Amino acid sequence: MADAARVLAVCGMPFEAAIADGPGVVCIHGPGPWRVAQRLHAMLDGDGCWGGIISFGCAGGLDPELASGDCVVATSVLTPDGVIATDPDWSRVLLDRVTGARPGLLAGTDAPLATAAAKAALWREAGAIAVDMETHAAALAARRHGLPFAACRVVLDPAWRNVPAAALAGLDVGGVWPVLRSLAGAPGQIVPLCVLAGEAWVARRSLLRVRARLGPALGRYLVTSSLPPSF
């Protein structure tokens, strides 16, 4: 497969990158926009030739109608520099391939939205249906480098879910010890943490199904007009 056939898949966590990986795909992951931006620009400023960038992984639900495991395909992305539209052809392929996927505005934030109140405020004020911490960095990089961009995310925590602090404790550094320390200080988090773990299991299974539907290069070259010579 030629370089032009490769797409960059931007994910939040290593398990999402492992799911996204496959023919025609090079994965990078955060968590968070700063790691993603650094890794994206390091690759894009090099000599590689890329067919596009896709944000792939999990997201927090903002629209109360979205449940864990529901798929969202971005029609546009809310970034600190304004709204950036996704590639319409690529986005249409994603919607066609993933039955029941919901199109809409995807919001990017630099920190997790951990409370139902914060999610409700962003949904009400911006009209975004889901949120994550990597898509806006990917959208800005794609615009800077003139590359097609798409975003396909699966809801993990729905709009009404408060994310317990223990779930976020190890997000940046990884490992189980920050989580255990948070639970030791507030053992009442155990039940909501178990609920969130169940939702994460549902989201992961859904993400696997979505990945299987998209095929090589995460659907980028299912548009006949964009088919590279190597296919």
Side-chain angles (χ1 to χ4, degrees):
M1 193 173 290
D3 282 352
R6 298 184 306 170
V7 300
L8 274 167
V10 174
C11 307
M13 303 298 291
F15 86 89
E16 297 169 343
I19 292 173
D21 194 22
V25 178
V26 175
C27 298
I28 63 171
H29 63 80
W34 312 119
R35 286 189 181 92
V36 162
Q38 289 176 346
R39 292 168 182 172
L40 269 175
H41 293 313
M43 299 188 77
L44 294 171
D45 290 337
D47 296 330
C49 183
W50 303 98
I53 300 174
I54 183 170
S55 173
F56 183 87
C58 295
L62 298 180
D63 186 333
E65 293 185 359
L66 291 172
S68 299
D70 286 346
C71 182
V72 171
V73 172
T75 54
S76 54
V77 178
L78 181 62
T79 81
D81 290 347
V83 174
I84 297 176
T86 57
D87 183 85
D89 293 332
W90 196 357
S91 298
R92 186 178 64 252
V93 166
L94 299 179
L95 288 167
D96 288 345
R97 299 290 293 182
V98 183
T99 303
R102 173 80 176 276
L105 175 66
L106 189 59
T109 58
D110 291 343
L113 289 189
T115 67
K119 296 177 189 178
L122 186 55
W123 179 57
R124 183 174 58 251
E125 294 166 7
I129 62 174
V131 61
D132 68 80
M133 295 195 298
E134 295 81 29
T135 297
H136 60 305
L140 289 167
R143 184 176 68 177
R144 172 184 166 183
H145 291 271
L147 292 171
F149 174 72
C152 183
R153 292 266 173 165
V154 167
V155 173
L156 196 160
D157 50 304
W160 58 87
R161 179 74 60 226
N162 290 314
V163 179
L168 305 176
L171 187 63
D172 190 56
V173 297
V176 69
W177 292 113
V179 177
L180 294 177
R181 283 195 294 269
S182 179
L183 286 174
Q189 298 179 89
I190 293 176
V191 171
L193 190 63
C194 290
V195 172
L196 186 66
E199 292 170 337
W201 183 84
V202 171
R204 184 181 183 278
R205 287 180 60 86
S206 178
L207 199 61
L208 285 165
R209 290 192 295 268
V210 169
R211 179 64 185 90
R213 292 293 301 160
L214 297 183
L218 289 165
R220 172 71 183 99
Y221 298 110
L222 291 176
V223 182
T224 303
S225 61
S226 66
L227 196 66
S230 59
F231 276 70

